[in-house]
Amino acid sequence: MTDPGNGTTSEVPQISLTFDDGPDPVWTPRVLEALQRAEAQATFFVVAPLARQFPHLICDILRAGHRVEFHCTQHVQHTERTRREVEADILAGLWTLEVQGVRPHFWRPPWGVLAPFTAEVADEFGLEIVLWTEGTRDWRGDPAPEMLRRVGSQLRPGSIVLMHDGIGPGARRSGCGETVALVGGLVERIRSLGCEPGPLATTLGASFVEDTLTSNGASSE
Ligand SMILES: [Zn+2]
């Protein structure tokens, strides 16, 4: 496994903050505010139809120095789709983002579930699959202090933390307030470990996919 710190210009070890299932007109701005307060940067894995519906949020994310990457067009597990359907999903999604000036490097498939063909499809489109190492399980509606306690003890240099700035299918909460509340404490914890929170570095992906495939598998994120 490569040293995650090598992919950045900083010598400080990085921990990546990632948000899935947005942009959301209510919650994405609040997440952005929380990140701004914490002076931290993150990666947003967006759902293409939402990006098309709320293009100003994509602009806000980019203007604040965060990264926009591709989650999906339809939020369906690849194991329930054919290869051609997944290819069509990416094509439509990449076109939507391209129109907004976004060319994704990373791809986090819905639920983190990969079909046998997913890696080949990623290669076909020049995308690097990236999952996560620490799931906050914020979609369950857990209180922020509980999530911080659970995830905070697992953090290490190179960790990729999964959160949600939107309400995706399967979410058991009606809002992302606890995620917003989590950001400040999480960033504080990351810095207390001598790390810096940030978006995914483009050299990180492959090794983390190998690591996380086995540990997360078909997790319900
Ligand atoms: Zn999702």
Side-chain angles (χ1 to χ4, degrees):
M1 179 165 140
T2 54
D3 174 2
N6 289 345
T8 70
T9 51
S10 165
E11 293 302 311
V12 179
Q14 302 282 307
I15 289 178
S16 303
L17 304 181
T18 69
F19 295 89
D20 287 11
D21 293 352
D24 180 281
V26 174
W27 299 108
T28 302
R30 296 188 191 182
V31 166
L32 289 174
E33 280 166 24
L35 287 167
Q36 189 182 10
R37 273 197 302 276
E39 298 182 342
Q41 310 234 283
T43 298
F44 291 78
F45 285 91
V46 301
V47 177
L50 296 174
R52 186 169 51 233
Q53 195 179 348
F54 307 111
H56 62 287
L57 295 176
I58 299 297
C59 288
D60 290 347
I61 292 169
L62 294 172
R63 212 171 10 232
H66 308 294
R67 307 260 174 84
V68 171
E69 301 287 354
F70 181 56
H71 193 28
C72 57
T73 299
Q74 288 184 51
H75 203 286
V76 179
Q77 296 183 13
H78 288 185
T79 46
E80 295 174 7
R81 309 191 82 180
T82 66
R83 178 176 179 148
R84 286 187 66 170
E85 284 172 334
V86 171
E87 287 169 338
D89 187 284
I90 296 184
L91 206 56
L94 292 186
W95 173 246
T96 297
L97 295 180
E98 173 105 35
V99 168
Q100 298 178 321
V102 175
R103 186 162 297 195
H105 175 86
F106 288 113
W107 179 31
R108 179 178 282 157
W111 313 87
V113 173
L114 309 188
F117 56 75
T118 303
E120 274 180 32
V121 173
D123 284 346
E124 200 183 309
F125 287 90
L127 293 169
E128 195 170 345
I129 298 169
V130 68
L131 301 182
W132 59 89
T133 63
E134 319 305 331
T136 57
R137 299 188 174 271
D138 56 349
W139 51 270
R140 293 195 303 201
D142 293 356
E146 192 183 313
M147 292 193 281
L148 183 60
R149 226 175 5 254
R150 199 174 54 236
V151 173
S153 61
Q154 303 296 318
L155 293 172
R156 64 188 193 282
S159 287
I160 300 173
V161 182
L162 170 63
M163 292 167 277
H164 296 79
D165 63 321
I167 304 297
R172 293 189 218 144
R173 61 178 180 172
S174 57
C176 304
E178 293 302 320
T179 303
V180 175
L182 174 63
V183 169
L186 186 60
V187 168
E188 213 170 284
R189 179 68 58 89
I190 288 169
R191 290 189 173 131
S192 76
L193 297 170
C195 297
E196 185 58 22
L200 290 163
T202 48
T203 53
L204 291 185
S207 59
F208 279 96
V209 171
E210 283 159 26
D211 283 356
T212 53
L213 277 180
T214 44
S215 59
N216 287 301
S219 160
S220 55
E221 307 280 343

